[in-house]
Amino acid sequence: MARTLLYLVRHGEQDLTLGESTSGGLSALGRSQAERLGRRLKGVRFSTIHHSPLPRAAQTAEVIADYLPDVPRHACDLAMDRTPVPSAGRRSEYPSRLLPWLDSVPAEERDEDGRCLQAAVEHLGAAGPEDRRELVITHNFVIGWFVRHALDAPTWRWAGLNQANCGLTIVQWDTDRLPTLVCFNDIGHL
């Protein structure tokens, strides 16, 4: 039986001195968080480091990669910051209290019915012929979607699953088994 372990990490704290821009990098605290997580993950035998192309995730990956020098890393669109929003025909599946907030999500962040996020789960979470461990440095809602999937929770349940900056979540896939949530938002290293 082959096993895939996905280590899902929210990027370090973003530097907000320039405002709420999505192009911001890490704050000093964010760098420290990434350093601590890097020390914790040192020695884990990862196949790959995937990271969102946004600066805060790319910089987090860069810091962590210093502790994992032999692990290849790359910007991965599957790890991009996305907000799953219901299509017109699926709005009734979401609690009405969430709809005004979801309606305000900027067009560039919208992922209708979580299609892109589901593609990320199917690609990154697939158990292959060999065991593998992969590190994915991404964003809060992406991790929430993976956790929701692993728990077979309602589609909207990703909302409210809040991940700390540089918190660690691990999801396991085994051949011929449903995914298992190994840990959620572990911050013992921080």
Side-chain angles (χ1 to χ4, degrees), residues 54-132:
L54 293 177
R56 59 193 180 269
Q59 290 175 13
T60 301
E62 184 178 321
V63 171
I64 292 171
D66 286 344
Y67 294 90
L68 305 166
D70 299 325
V71 181
R73 67 183 155 104
H74 68 102
C76 178
D77 191 52
L78 294 170
M80 187 65 178
D81 194 6
R82 303 183 195 287
T83 304
V85 296
S87 60
R90 299 188 75 184
R91 289 175 65 84
S92 64
E93 297 174 19
Y94 276 66
S96 60
R97 70 181 187 283
L98 294 177
L99 295 176
W101 173 70
L102 291 168
D103 290 342
S104 72
V105 172
E108 65 274 11
E109 294 176 25
R110 297 174 77 80
D111 180 12
E112 191 170 271
D113 294 334
R115 288 186 191 111
C116 293
L117 290 171
Q118 194 56 39
V121 167
E122 290 167 10
H123 180 77
L124 295 171
E130 298 177 7
D131 289 352
R132 65 186 169 94

